[in-house]
Amino acid sequence: MAEHVGADHRDIVLDHAALADPQVRRKALEARDLPVGFGEMDFSLYLLFKAIGERSTVALSGEAADEVFGGYRQFHDDRIRWADEFPWIAVNAGPLDKDALWLKPDVRAALDLDGYRRDRYADAVREVERLDGESDLEFRMRLMSHLHLTRFVRFLLERKDRLSMAVGLEVRVPFCDHRLVEYVYNAPWAMKNHDGREKSLLRSAVRDRLPAVVAERVKSAYPSTQDTSYVKALQEQTRELLRQPGHPVFALADRGRLEAAIRQEPSAVDKLARLGMERVLDVMLWLDIYRPDVRLP
């Protein structure tokens, strides 16, 4: 693609040491202002923006293309699109509470995250009116588009804005042009998915302007490092935290789960254990920076 448009392309390669640097975690956390727990997926984006910012003050990014044109897997999986659930949660085939296993059981019970999620989903569904003569499938896909455009992409846009502006980089998002969003939102799903592939309408619109290898490329998810050295560094940072039993984070975090996570071989640490360590380290740092008064209901 770089050759096709004549771009001065530079690869930015990040190793596990850069991704696991506690100072990078702090910078990303201060930018996001919340302990989201995205881990190296936030750190890599922050470091990418930092590298771009050394050569430019403005960049373009593709946020919202998947939400507008139906690019995510959940738009094409019957089990997920008919689930009575936010699609990005249903795609992980489990209740939201599983992502909160790092919390102590009494904290999880007090928060009732599953109940909160069900209520917010019901609120979102009520916002979408069914059109006269609209089929079940067309209505469901328009509902999925609404959910992604009003909830999911807002999360991604805030992430992009905060991490880019933290390094003085302005990132513009052409797929968020309101004229494009409004027009494509009302296009029938049969048109958006006319050849059975993700982003069919977008591919067809630009196929004559792109090399075939680009126009036909299969969608790939945002990269997450599988380097066990990163997981090992995560375990070391968690081990260091566990040496501070009086830290206020342990009013919320389940020490037993953290201790189990650091005892495992790095290659054996599963997604939930890794997510738990990321979230606890973020909450720890957030508490250190802002020093809030944490009270359970």
Side-chain angles (χ1 to χ4, degrees):
M1 190 64 204
E3 182 180 341
H4 179 68
V5 300
D8 177 15
H9 182 72
R10 308 287 179 93
D11 286 323
I12 299 169
V13 181
L14 304 173
D15 60 19
H16 81 275
L19 293 172
D21 184 347
Q23 287 305 310
V24 172
R25 180 183 295 274
R26 187 180 187 94
K27 292 290 187 182
L29 180 67
E30 288 175 337
R32 301 216 53 184
D33 208 29
L34 280 175
V36 181
F38 257 34
E40 32 61 74
M41 288 195 289
D42 270 0
F43 310 153
S44 60
L45 194 61
Y46 170 82
L47 292 170
L48 170 66
F49 288 155
K50 187 171 184 292
I52 295 172
E54 292 170 357
R55 305 186 67 237
S56 177
T57 57
V58 181
L60 298 178
S61 186
E63 272 89 359
D66 286 308
E67 289 78 8
V68 171
F69 290 98
Y72 293 121
R73 179 163 68 91
Q74 54 261 33
F75 281 93
H76 306 273
D77 185 320
D78 271 343
R79 178 188 61 80
I80 298 166
R81 40 185 196 190
W82 294 105
D84 192 21
E85 177 65 274
F86 286 112
W88 49 92
I89 295 176
V91 76
N92 290 316
L96 182 66
D97 193 50
K98 283 179 64 178
D99 282 355
L101 287 176
W102 63 272
L103 289 169
K104 294 164 66 173
D106 60 321
V107 176
R108 294 206 309 275
L111 293 175
D112 185 21
L113 296 176
D114 280 338
Y116 174 81
R117 184 198 74 254
R118 285 192 298 269
D119 291 345
R120 297 292 75 75
Y121 177 74
D123 291 343
V125 170
R126 281 193 291 269
E127 295 171 0
V128 183
E129 293 185 18
R130 186 159 185 165
L131 304 179
D132 290 341
E134 194 172 32
S135 70
D136 289 345
L137 177 61
E138 285 290 347
F139 174 65
R140 184 63 191 177
M141 299 316 295
R142 197 159 57 81
L143 172 61
M144 286 191 68
S145 294
H146 176 83
L147 294 174
H148 281 84
L149 290 169
T150 59
R151 270 76 176 175
F152 193 73
V153 79
R154 290 171 64 181
F155 173 81
L156 296 182
L157 291 173
E158 183 183 32
R159 172 181 181 243
K160 173 200 63 64
D161 282 343
R162 286 178 172 274
L163 292 174
S164 62
M165 292 310 297
V167 295
L169 177 68
E170 180 184 344
V171 179
R172 298 176 181 174
V173 280
F175 285 109
C176 287
D177 186 300
H178 71 93
R179 294 161 297 185
L180 176 69
V181 174
E182 291 166 2
Y183 182 81
V184 179
Y185 175 74
N186 287 306
W189 177 248
M191 182 181 292
K192 293 180 187 178
N193 189 232
H194 66 82
D195 62 0
R197 295 193 61 191
E198 71 276 9
K199 293 190 276 194
S200 302
L201 186 57
L202 180 59
R203 291 177 193 273
S204 296
V206 300
R207 186 170 277 114
D208 63 335
R209 295 183 174 273
L210 296 175
V213 68
V214 175
E216 300 302 328
R217 191 177 70 174
V218 175
K219 173 180 168 53
S220 58
Y222 187 88
S224 174
T225 182
Q226 302 307 307
D227 188 341
T228 55
S229 298
Y230 176 81
V231 179
K232 185 176 180 180
L234 201 59
Q235 289 175 308
E236 287 299 324
Q237 293 173 26
T238 303
R239 185 174 288 109
E240 182 61 33
L241 172 60
L242 287 166
R243 296 191 185 107
Q244 307 173 54
H247 195 284
V249 75
F250 291 115
L252 304 171
D254 187 332
R255 286 184 61 92
R257 287 194 174 274
L258 295 176
E259 288 167 350
I262 66 172
R263 285 196 299 266
Q264 291 181 296
E265 286 296 319
S267 59
V269 174
D270 65 18
K271 177 183 176 181
L272 284 176
R274 177 167 164 169
L275 176 65
M277 289 188 286
E278 295 281 20
R279 292 236 166 114
V280 172
L281 290 170
D282 267 13
V283 173
M284 172 205 72
L285 187 55
W286 187 80
L287 291 171
D288 286 346
I289 294 171
Y290 294 97
R291 299 191 177 280
D293 181 14
V294 179
R295 298 182 184 180
L296 296 179

